[in-house]
Amino acid sequence: MVFAAFRSIGAYIPPKIMTNLDFEKILDTSDEWITKRTGIKERRIAQKNEGSSDLGFKASQIAIQRANIDKNDIDLVICATVTPDYLCMPSTACLIASKLGLEPVQAFDISAACTGFVYAVSVAKAFIESGMKKNVLIVGAEKYTSILDYTDRGTCFIFGDGAGAAIISASDNKSEAIIDVNCSSDGNYSDLIQTIGGGSLHPCSQEVLDQKLACIRMKGNETFKLAVKTLSADVKVMMKKHNLINSDINHFIPHQANYRIIKAVGDMLGFTKEQTVVTVDRYGNTSAASIPMAMNYAYEQGKINSGDTVLFDAFGAGLTWGSALFPFSPKK
Ligand code: UT7
């Protein structure tokens, strides 16, 4: 039997910082309001000439190097993003594979918004366990600043840019195996977070441009309530299914959208501050990149060790949600 092992993590954090004080200069808002309502203090901004593939490429280089594999042994590249370099084609995964200089390889994107990286883990696991692939590069890469309306004070200040990546490889050692991934969706709530324009229903037009319909629109408050409910329910199911108690989890890594959501979910589930990884204060919400960037942050702080049990918990537009449970299993 072949198992899928989570071998490495990497991230690219764009150096340019936008603080809440910078938002005070362009919006009717304040550092105090943003900090109190979200916990966010600053977020990162990619350069004008960078696309999500450039961010994903840099994160991937680190993940590949830390996995200690030859890049040409990668036989599948998956990029989770809702801010692809190009709206329809080519996929961002193809661009990342090319920038990495990989030999021809299967590569495709996943569109599951903030849950995208957890969806990517589930697909990588399935490809490996079926025997079809041996080394999968998964990437969460977002340049959210490319779809923000900086006059929308209810939404624009929570998002930022960045990328995270991981290598998932075949292993014959069951103790290294990703234990479970559970992903789901409910399109009945599709209107809560949307980019209305630029797709097949409302193709690019002067109206789309004038009304900024290709920018993200979010019903923040309704989304907030559903996020707390869904994120906690999802983890309860996962923990019960595997007979786990809180102390079995070393690192709880929830989607980084709002510190109040993270705190409410953590409290409902009974995870301690020490178990819960928080980066929303420094990176804001980076959608599909948020979970791998948070994991990378904890890893670089020296907190994540070989064999530690990690629990991802994501929620986003779609609506989509998902959780993943696995031991961190670098190659010995
Ligand atoms: O990542 C995918 C999933 N996304 C999420 O999980 C995001 C979930 N939502 C949120 O994090 C929060 O809803 C926000 C941070 C986006 C907004 O916080 P909120 O506590 O839900 O605020 P609200 O939209 O209910 O607005 C409360 C008040 C309103 O004023 P009135 O009507 O009470 O007078 C808003 O106009 O706050 C006002 N407001 C602001 N004030 C200062 C809204 N945005 C701002 C702002 N600065 N930036």
Side-chain angles (χ1 to χ4, degrees):
M1 173 121 189
V2 61
F3 302 101
F6 199 110
R7 290 278 188 234
S8 70
I9 189 73
Y12 176 67
I13 318 296
K16 189 174 171 195
I17 294 174
M18 187 165 182
T19 66
N20 293 347
L21 295 175
D22 294 325
F23 272 100
E24 283 188 4
K25 294 176 197 148
I26 56 166
L27 273 181
D28 178 16
T29 191
S30 66
D31 173 41
E32 192 197 349
W33 191 94
I34 298 174
T35 306
K36 202 167 142 206
R37 295 285 176 133
T38 67
I40 299 169
K41 293 301 285 181
E42 56 189 44
R43 65 293 288 145
R44 300 301 176 112
I45 311 289
Q47 290 172 42
K48 264 208 167 88
N49 63 353
E50 279 180 317
S52 293
S53 73
D54 296 300
L55 314 184
F57 158 62
K58 289 175 184 164
S60 300
Q61 284 182 308
I62 298 169
I64 294 167
Q65 181 246 319
R66 287 181 182 160
N68 199 17
I69 58 165
D70 181 335
K71 67 179 182 183
N72 285 315
D73 288 337
I74 293 170
D75 45 11
L76 175 61
V77 178
I78 304 172
C79 180
T81 184
V82 285
T83 50
D85 287 23
Y86 302 103
L87 184 59
C88 305
M89 63 196 93
S91 75
T92 305
C94 284
L95 301 174
I96 291 171
S98 156
K99 284 173 186 174
L100 287 167
L102 303 190
E103 282 166 8
V105 63
Q106 184 173 354
F108 58 86
D109 287 358
I110 285 182
S111 172
C114 304
T115 316
F117 195 75
V118 178
Y119 270 54
V121 174
S122 77
V123 176
K125 179 177 186 288
F127 264 101
I128 288 173
E129 287 178 354
S130 69
M132 283 180 73
K133 303 291 178 190
K134 288 196 165 52
N135 293 295
V136 184
L137 167 65
I138 59 169
V139 189
E142 302 282 16
K143 187 181 179 185
Y144 251 67
T145 51
S146 65
I147 57 162
L148 293 181
D149 171 359
Y150 280 102
T151 63
D152 177 2
R153 76 167 184 160
T155 303
C156 66
F157 62 92
I158 76 168
F159 292 101
D161 301 333
I167 293 289
I168 300 187
S169 297
S171 165
D172 53 13
N173 182 351
K174 193 173 180 203
S175 72
E176 293 188 332
I178 294 174
I179 299 162
D180 202 0
V181 192
N182 177 43
C183 292
S184 195
S185 75
D186 187 347
N188 289 312
Y189 295 98
S190 60
D191 65 327
L192 288 188
I193 314 172
Q194 275 185 314
T195 52
I196 293 164
S200 57
L201 194 57
H202 303 285
C204 198
S205 65
Q206 196 55 49
E207 190 197 352
V208 165
L209 293 175
D210 291 345
Q211 297 188 23
K212 296 185 179 161
L213 295 179
C215 293
I216 182 172
R217 295 268 176 270
M218 181 173 71
K219 295 179 183 164
N221 205 267
E222 286 169 66
T223 307
F224 185 104
K225 288 173 199 152
L226 275 170
V228 173
K229 213 165 95 182
T230 311
L231 283 162
S232 48
D234 196 35
V235 162
K236 276 185 194 154
V237 170
M238 181 69 95
M239 302 275 288
K240 195 167 171 208
K241 184 171 163 196
H242 296 281
N243 265 327
L244 295 172
I245 55 169
N246 289 7
S247 56
D248 294 324
I249 306 296
N250 298 106
H251 311 282
F252 174 55
I253 310 184
H255 172 47
Q256 309 285 315
N258 182 324
Y259 181 68
R260 281 163 58 220
I261 297 177
I262 296 171
K263 173 92 173 52
V265 171
D267 287 351
M268 274 164 99
L269 296 169
F271 287 118
T272 63
K273 223 176 163 186
E274 289 66 39
Q275 280 171 298
T276 308
V277 179
V278 177
T279 53
V280 71
D281 52 334
R282 60 191 64 230
Y283 304 146
N285 179 348
T286 57
S287 193
S290 104
I291 284 184
M293 283 169 74
M295 180 169 173
N296 182 71
Y297 178 77
Y299 176 80
E300 289 188 351
Q301 297 275 305
K303 290 186 180 150
I304 300 187
N305 298 305
S306 179
D308 281 2
T309 303
V310 179
L311 178 60
F312 288 166
D313 192 15
F315 173 87
L319 294 176
T320 55
W321 61 91
S323 52
L325 177 68
F326 61 93
F328 181 56
S329 305
K331 210 152 98 183
K332 300 232 163 73

